[in-house]
Amino acid sequence: MFLLLALLIGVISGLRTMTAPAAVAWGAALGWFDVSQTPLAFMGYRWTPWIFTVLAIVELIADQLPSTPSRKVPMQFGARIVSGALAGATIGAASSLLFGGLMAGVIGAVIGTYGGAAARSRLAASFGKDLPAALIEDAVAVIGAVLIVAAVP
């Protein structure tokens, strides 16, 4: 179950880079799962969720700008992989599966990056513009992240 959730949170990282770590940090900080005795204990620190939340909000706004580069360019793609690794490892660490969670998060981030780009471009084509597709993707990322983190046992 932990590895499936780590994979799914990685998919969220592929959609929105900072949403997944923000959600996972909130889960850890609120005590929904315990990572305090792991190398990722900082994810549950008092300020970590706030920092990631600010970054996630900035990303949600910046994603709407026409100058925002594709998620598939090396810098954006790399950030999504790192984000998926961190979020997946944090979920995995809650059950002593840190490395497995990390790998599942990376795989999920790759799936989310390419799958999200394909789905968004299809949605944008059907709407005739990108903004509605971007807002739907934002909603899927935020709601999905909350549901995944809430499901961590």
Side-chain angles (χ1 to χ4, degrees), residues 11-32:
V11 170
I12 300 298
S13 288
L15 299 179
R16 293 289 175 270
T17 311
M18 291 295 139
T19 300
V24 170
W26 277 110
L30 293 172
W32 292 359

Side-chain angles (χ1 to χ4, degrees), residues 52-147:
F52 278 120
T53 299
V54 168
L55 292 172
I57 291 169
V58 168
E59 179 186 21
L60 290 172
I61 294 166
D63 183 63
Q64 311 307 319
L65 303 174
S67 61
T68 302
S70 166
R71 70 184 78 200
K72 296 184 281 185
V73 300
M75 182 68 77
Q76 300 285 338
F77 189 61
R80 290 167 195 271
I81 289 173
V82 169
S83 169
L86 175 62
T90 303
I91 288 177
S95 69
S96 301
L97 296 170
L98 189 140
F99 184 73
L102 183 144
M103 293 308 296
V106 167
I107 293 166
V110 171
I111 293 167
T113 299
Y114 286 111
R120 180 166 167 178
S121 72
R122 285 191 193 118
L123 275 173
S126 70
F127 286 120
K129 54 185 175 177
D130 186 60
L131 183 61
L135 295 174
I136 289 170
E137 187 178 16
D138 290 345
V140 167
V142 171
I143 294 167
V146 171
L147 293 174

